[in-house]
């Protein structure tokens, strides 16, 4: 007899389907076709290492003898031109290859990683930049091709192919509805991220940070919300800039009872919507399977004991499993 899946297995499968659908949507931007969508050449390789290092490789069309090549980002009067190097392969074909650093213009800061020697950095404004390959023949004439997106790398695996940046900005290679490759740059919405979770003898100390928000919006308290119920606890948080700290005591889980309950963690702000407290930005596909925290016992001054386990949900949100330990057990 075939064994039925457990509720946990069903939930994990559902989360996996949601992540897969979201990944496909993130890589697709619906824009109307433009007159320069054709002629087209497909990229052999097109990726963004660490969310900022652009790698491109495209084969020169057979009917063209190129003396120079470049990758053009955008259109109009002031496109960004990224030079490419021509390399002859063993089969006689010629490839145009290039590596460069792409950064968001408004996101440039003093602590940004330095550019490797011999590599150029290009600062782009937020938006969607269409990508074109331009080849110059031996007569000095240019031929422009719309760059078609390369096949997706790592459709599945332990890490996500989408670039991740710590500063809240993003840079992604996406495709239009017609398959044209674009470079998308911008800044994500406000997010509350976990910095650390320290489990002591009688309390849990959480530190987090609020990203993509102005300084005046860096305030609020932490809220514990019991899942599938209307019980909630508000824990005061102290702020230093965009970083907040709060301590969760045994009494904050007083409504748990001997039966294990799950509590979700949110940052409750005076203005703006509440935010789930999530794992700090990472490219790990399943944070709950990788970033594990231990089961511990918290003891209150009155002798009350609480078994607690902080963990990350499949989508990366922080939650607690908590249950009171009956006295004498």
């Amino acid at each position: 007899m075939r064994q039925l899946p457990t509720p946990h297995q069903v939930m994990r499968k559902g989360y996996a389907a949601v992540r897969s659908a979201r990944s496909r949507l993130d890589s697709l931007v619906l824009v109307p076709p433009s007159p320069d969508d054709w002629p087209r050449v497909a990229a052999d390789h097109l990726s963004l290492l660490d969310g900022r290092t652009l790698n491109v490789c495209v084969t020169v069309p057979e009917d063209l003898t190129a003396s120079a090549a470049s990758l053009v980002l955008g259109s109009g009067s002031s496109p960004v031109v990224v030079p490419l190097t021509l390399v002859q392969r063993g089969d006689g074909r010629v490839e145009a290859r290039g590596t460069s650093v792409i950064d968001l213009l408004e996101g440039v800061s003093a602590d940004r990683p330095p550019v490797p020697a011999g590599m150029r950095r290009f600062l782009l404004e937020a938006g969607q930049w269409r990508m074109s390959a331009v080849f110059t023949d031996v007569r000095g004439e240019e031929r422009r091709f719309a760059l078609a997106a390369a096949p997706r790398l790592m459709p599945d695996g332990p890490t996500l192919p989408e670039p991740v940046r710590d500063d809240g900005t993003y840079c992604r290679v996406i495709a239009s509805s017609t398959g044209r490759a674009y470079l998308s740059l911008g800044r994500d919405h406000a997010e509350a991220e976990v910095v650390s979770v320290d489990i002591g003898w009688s309390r849990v100390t959480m530190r987090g940070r609020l990203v993509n928000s102005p300084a005046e919006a860096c305030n609020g308290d932490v809220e514990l919300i019991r899942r599938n119920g209307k019980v909630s606890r508000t824990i005061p948080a102290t702020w230093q800039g965009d970083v907040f700290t709060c301590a969760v005591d045994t009494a904050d889980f007083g409504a748990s009872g001997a039966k294990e309950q799950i509590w979700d963690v949110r940052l409750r702000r005076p203005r703006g919507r509440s935010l789930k407290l999530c794992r700090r930005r990472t490219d790990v596909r399943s944070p709950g399977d990788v970033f594990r925290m231990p089961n511990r016992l918290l003891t209150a001054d009155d002798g009350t004991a609480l078994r607690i386990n902080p963990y990350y949900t499949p989508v990366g949100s922080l939650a607690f499993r908590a249950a009171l330990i009956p006295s004498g057990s």
Side-chain angles (χ1 to χ4, degrees):
M1 180 181 292
R2 183 179 180 183
Q3 185 177 5
L4 294 176
T6 65
H8 181 66
Q9 290 172 331
V10 173
M11 183 179 297
R12 285 175 60 88
K13 187 175 181 180
Y15 275 121
V18 171
R19 287 196 303 266
S20 178
R22 188 196 310 185
S23 177
R24 290 194 300 269
L25 287 174
D26 286 345
S27 64
L28 178 68
V29 55
L30 299 179
V31 294
S34 60
D36 66 343
D37 264 358
W38 305 96
R40 181 173 294 190
V41 62
D44 299 321
H45 179 88
L46 186 60
S47 66
L48 271 163
L49 180 66
D50 65 22
R52 62 195 299 262
T53 305
L54 178 66
N55 298 281
V56 60
C57 177
V58 59
T59 302
V60 179
E62 291 185 354
D63 62 342
L64 195 155
T65 302
S67 60
S70 61
L71 176 70
V72 177
L73 305 176
S75 58
S77 58
S78 56
V80 174
V81 180
V82 181
L84 302 178
T85 302
L86 296 174
V87 179
Q88 187 166 9
R89 301 190 313 216
D91 60 0
R93 300 291 300 275
V94 178
E95 290 180 343
R97 304 174 184 173
T99 300
S100 57
V101 173
I102 306 295
D103 275 326
L104 184 65
L105 180 60
E106 60 94 6
V108 174
S109 59
D111 59 351
R112 185 164 298 280
V115 178
M119 193 178 301
R120 293 182 59 186
R121 182 173 71 172
F122 298 88
L123 302 179
L124 306 182
E125 295 181 350
Q128 296 166 355
W129 295 72
R130 66 184 59 179
M131 307 176 78
S132 305
V134 177
F135 303 104
T136 304
D137 62 20
V138 293
R139 297 186 300 271
E141 296 180 357
E142 291 186 348
R143 290 184 60 182
R144 179 185 293 259
F145 296 84
L147 190 65
R152 281 180 61 88
L153 295 174
M154 297 186 303
D156 196 3
T159 57
L160 296 168
E162 288 78 15
V164 177
R165 292 185 173 194
D166 286 334
D167 61 0
T169 64
Y170 64 85
C171 181
R172 306 183 182 110
V173 175
I174 58 177
S176 71
S177 56
T178 63
R180 174 80 176 268
Y182 280 72
L183 203 60
S184 179
L185 293 92
R187 183 175 290 278
D188 289 328
H189 300 297
E191 291 184 3
E193 298 181 345
V194 176
V195 174
S196 64
V197 179
D198 298 321
I199 309 174
W201 294 109
S202 60
R203 61 176 52 186
V204 177
T205 302
M206 295 183 293
R207 295 182 68 243
R209 66 168 188 159
L210 183 63
V211 298
N212 293 330
S213 287
E216 59 270 16
C218 293
N219 51 48
D221 295 319
V222 172
E223 186 176 28
L224 296 178
I225 304 174
R226 194 169 73 181
R227 196 174 296 177
N228 301 327
K230 297 182 180 180
V231 180
S232 64
R233 296 283 189 272
T234 300
I235 301 119
T238 57
W239 289 78
Q240 290 185 337
D242 60 353
V243 176
F244 58 91
T245 305
C246 73
V248 183
D249 297 318
T250 304
D252 295 318
F253 299 96
S256 292
K259 182 180 179 181
E260 183 178 84
Q261 300 286 346
I262 295 180
W263 297 76
D264 294 304
V265 187
R266 295 177 184 269
L267 177 64
R268 187 174 181 179
R269 300 184 294 169
R271 294 181 295 276
R273 63 183 179 86
S274 297
L275 301 174
K276 291 183 178 180
L277 194 59
C278 297
R279 171 70 193 179
R280 192 162 185 172
R281 292 167 181 267
T282 174
D283 60 355
V284 173
R285 191 179 294 274
S286 300
D289 295 333
V290 177
F291 304 107
R292 293 179 176 270
M293 289 175 278
N295 287 283
R296 290 286 181 84
L297 287 180
L298 300 184
T299 305
D301 294 337
D302 60 0
T304 302
L306 184 77
R307 185 180 71 250
I308 191 169
N309 171 223
Y311 74 100
Y312 293 106
T313 68
V315 295
S317 301
L318 180 64
F320 289 92
R321 297 186 184 96
L324 287 174
I325 304 298
S327 58
S329 60

